[in-house]
Amino acid sequence: MPKVSVVVPIYNVESYLTTCIDSLLNQTLEDIEIICVNDGSTDSSPQILEEYAKKDKRIKYITKENSGYGHTMNVGIDAASSEYIGILESDDYVSPNMFEELYSVAKANDLDFVKSDFYRFTEKNGYRYLQRCYIAPDASFYNRVLNPCEELETFRFIMNTWTGIYKKSFLTFHNIRHNETAGASFQDNGFWFKTSAFATRAMFVDKAYYRCRRDNVNSSVHSKTKIFCAKDEYDYIGEFLKSNPQLKEKLWCAYQLKRFHNYRFTCDRIGNEYKEMFIKQFSLDFNESEKNGELNTKMFSDSEVNILQLVMSNPQEFYNKFYNNVENELSSKSSKIVSILRKGKHFAGRLLRSIKHDGFSCTLKKINNFAQFVFSKTKLSIILTVYNEEQFLDECMQSILSQTFAKFEVICVDDGSTDNSFELLTKWKAKDKRVKILQQKNSGAGVARNLGLQHAKGKYLLFLDSDDIFENEMFRILTKKALITNSDITICDSYKFDNTSKEVLPNQYALHKPFSSDRKVFSRNDIPDKIFNFCIGWAWDKLYKRSFVRKSKLKFQALRTTNDAYFVYLSLVKASRISIVDEKLVLYRNNNPSSLAQTRVLSWDCFYKAIISIRDELKNLEVYDQLEQSFANWALDFSMWNYYTLAEPTKTLLRDKLRESYLAELGLLDRPEGFFYENRKSDYELMQNILNS
């Protein structure tokens, strides 16, 4: 008997089916059964499934007439022969270790079900942009056996049925089925509610295996016309609870909360022409519950109670407040005008005089035309260092030359490449006159950037890496922000791009806004305790004003690795105006085997040389005392990162150097533990282990 049966409901998913099935065939748990249930597809999905079934005996292919999601799922579950059952939607996919690890947890703890976190993703230009979703609101709910009926907060968790596995005997004993309403959607809600209601041994693990697609236009989530499916499903769940009085007594408050959440979701999802109609039904249903003495808001937050009361008492006002776009836009424009007038009496006076003389629309047009004029006259210099990047160079150059902001030069500095990189650059130069090529003997990226800087003529500078990819709005967004705020440095957020899986994830450690408020610009004097800690010391996510770089006499170091830290951190220290763009605009490539980051064993002490140079310059500028704590915490973090990411035997060599001299020279010894920030506690403990080893 297989350990896990995975049910795959299929209806017209020819574009996504191969990725889905391949992710199951590549599972590290080989002892699985894959039950593909075709719900009367009219595209090529059946032919794709037939080919797979011929190649792998683990695939059980069932085909039937179209009857809807609920019936399709029940057919698949009935056909399952394994101890546990998983669900994979046919436009999604899963990581290779999902079912092996979940099965191991389920068996070890004798669970009715186990679920995990997941990723939502969209696809663009062949890349999958992932966003992690945490199924539980805090860590206390993870990795322990619990009974959902005894911990009702679990009914606030994200509703899904496909991030885990269910014991088949548990489903059979409680007769847990999907609602089979013909033509309906969202029939997983009832299954989710029943499994949570009956389970006495459940677990949520803090790992993410499942990839949930959000850009399938045929998905029910994107249907604008399926108006009352949520109502039908929650009527079904309500009848289930009424037929189980003991469960109803425990869970009616959770049921009312989930019904409320799904009605709100429906309001957001359906087409504008249906919203008022549904909101009236929303109001009627909850007023009916109150009339029957069944309205229970025990689990509602104060804000949720306020919204529900508004829906029940005045559905039209609720619609106007949340969904009447005309009123909302007018309110937004009024707020923007007030904000503009508050910026200064001189500007406000000029603006009011212009409005009085030329009219409001004409004045806005003048302002926009002037902004566009300034924007069009601004030029960027893109400095791209290239060393043996033939594998990724075309992809990088395409993303640069496809930018929506077109007024820039690309100064490509070939650092003595021994592969085909120079020839590729030559082809790009022939295609686009904005491309310039400089050559030097192999001297490292720092020297190459300095050479490019000497030839730059733009108002602003970007120092980019030739194995990365850049969103096509990057130059426009950064330049606009820099011009509006008159910034010396403008910083954006980034993604991590896995070179193997082609998955794109938020780069969670790259940038942390140093202010909770919506502050436009700042300098080291505003955040002396954070100036070294709010972003990473790489150059490719930062736009620099060239006049600032020249005036500050900033240069990159001639180090093999960590050659940008000196330039970046001292620029942050010297800048009078720093701004942040809260958008992810760079795809930073991971798993590039030729990247310098992957070969640090050849230059393992460069990080230390960079830190010492920065410290010495801080003292020369007489700002070390002001920035000492921020600097020391960064130096500790960077030193420990270099240590634990190095391979042996170089790791041991660095450990000895840290213990013998580096840590003392960096001023990290004899510091009280409280001197180091809370998020550096693990680094502090690692430092103590090195000292005592």
Side-chain angles (χ1 to χ4, degrees), residues 397-455:
M397 289 296 292
Q398 183 65 44
S399 71
I400 291 174
L401 296 174
S402 299
Q403 292 288 314
T404 56
F405 181 90
K407 196 170 179 62
F408 60 84
E409 60 178 354
V410 189
I411 303 173
C412 303
V413 186
D414 178 54
D415 186 32
S417 295
T418 57
D419 66 356
N420 200 39
S421 294
F422 180 77
E423 287 73 20
L424 292 175
L425 288 174
T426 303
K427 290 180 181 178
W428 282 106
K429 182 180 178 182
K431 292 179 181 179
D432 197 309
K433 64 181 181 181
R434 294 173 296 180
V435 177
K436 301 176 182 178
I437 303 175
L438 302 175
Q439 282 186 291
Q440 66 175 30
K441 292 182 179 179
N442 181 241
S443 306
V447 175
R449 284 170 173 156
N450 289 335
L451 177 60
L453 182 56
Q454 292 174 20
H455 290 78

Side-chain angles (χ1 to χ4, degrees), residues 462-649:
L462 275 169
F463 300 94
L464 305 181
D465 288 351
S466 52
D467 60 343
D468 293 338
I469 305 164
F470 311 98
E471 297 284 7
N472 66 355
E473 288 279 286
M474 178 182 178
F475 297 178
R476 185 190 67 80
I477 292 172
L478 285 174
T479 304
K480 182 178 179 181
K481 181 75 169 185
L483 285 168
I484 290 172
T485 58
N486 191 27
S487 294
D488 299 321
I489 307 171
T490 304
I491 309 171
C492 69
D493 209 342
S494 59
Y495 294 101
K496 287 192 299 183
F497 171 48
D498 190 291
N499 189 52
T500 304
S501 69
K502 305 302 181 186
E503 291 184 337
V504 180
L505 286 161
N507 205 347
Q508 295 180 337
Y509 56 85
L511 177 63
H512 302 283
K513 291 180 72 173
F515 297 103
S516 57
S517 62
D518 189 25
R519 187 162 186 161
K520 302 300 182 186
V521 294
F522 59 94
S523 71
R524 75 158 192 271
N525 293 323
D526 299 304
I527 53 166
D529 60 333
K530 299 176 183 176
I531 193 65
F532 280 88
N533 319 107
F534 79 92
C535 69
I536 302 295
W538 46 45
W540 44 257
D541 59 353
K542 300 171 181 70
L543 179 77
Y544 292 91
K545 186 186 289 185
R546 186 164 67 95
S547 60
F548 159 72
V549 171
R550 187 172 61 247
K551 181 180 178 181
S552 302
K553 299 179 180 179
L554 292 167
K555 297 289 184 183
F556 290 88
Q557 288 185 291
L559 300 174
R560 182 179 181 273
T561 53
T562 323
N563 49 66
D564 47 0
Y566 181 88
F567 180 99
V568 171
Y569 284 116
L570 286 176
S571 72
L572 294 173
V573 168
K574 293 183 177 185
S576 299
R577 299 179 67 83
I578 304 169
S579 63
I580 289 176
V581 169
D582 195 17
E583 293 190 51
K584 298 173 180 64
L585 302 175
V586 182
L587 279 68
Y588 167 61
R589 190 183 298 270
N590 265 350
N591 301 336
N592 176 2
S594 65
S595 168
L596 289 177
Q598 302 295 322
T599 59
R600 283 185 298 108
V601 291
L602 303 176
S603 50
W604 58 271
D605 59 345
C606 283
F607 84 94
Y608 174 72
K609 295 175 182 177
I611 298 175
I612 290 297
S613 297
I614 294 168
R615 181 205 62 187
D616 291 347
E617 184 60 16
L618 293 179
K619 291 182 177 181
N620 182 54
L621 295 170
E622 298 182 351
V623 296
Y624 181 78
D625 291 344
Q626 178 194 21
L627 308 177
E628 182 178 8
Q629 187 176 20
S630 178
F631 169 79
N633 273 268
W634 166 71
L636 173 65
D637 173 34
F638 199 32
S639 298
M640 294 303 101
W641 178 84
N642 273 275
Y643 170 69
Y644 67 69
T645 56
L646 271 180
E648 294 290 6

Side-chain angles (χ1 to χ4, degrees), residues 148-181:
C149 281
E150 294 176 357
E151 299 191 50
L152 293 182
E153 190 65 22
T154 57
F155 283 85
R156 275 192 171 274
F157 291 6
I158 297 175
M159 196 293 300
N160 72 71
T161 60
W162 25 256
T163 65
I165 56 175
Y166 307 84
K167 186 184 288 185
K168 184 175 183 184
S169 60
F170 160 72
L171 298 179
T172 302
F173 180 80
H174 293 289
N175 193 31
I176 298 175
R177 313 279 289 172
H178 286 77
N179 185 14
E180 293 189 5
T181 308

Side-chain angles (χ1 to χ4, degrees), residues 149 152 155 193 197 241 247-255:
C149 281
L152 293 182
F155 283 85
F193 199 97
L241 286 176
L247 286 178
K248 183 186 178 209
E249 184 177 352
K250 289 182 180 179
L251 299 178
W252 194 254
C253 57
Y255 163 71

Side-chain angles (χ1 to χ4, degrees), residues 4 651 672:
V4 176
K651 185 173 185 177

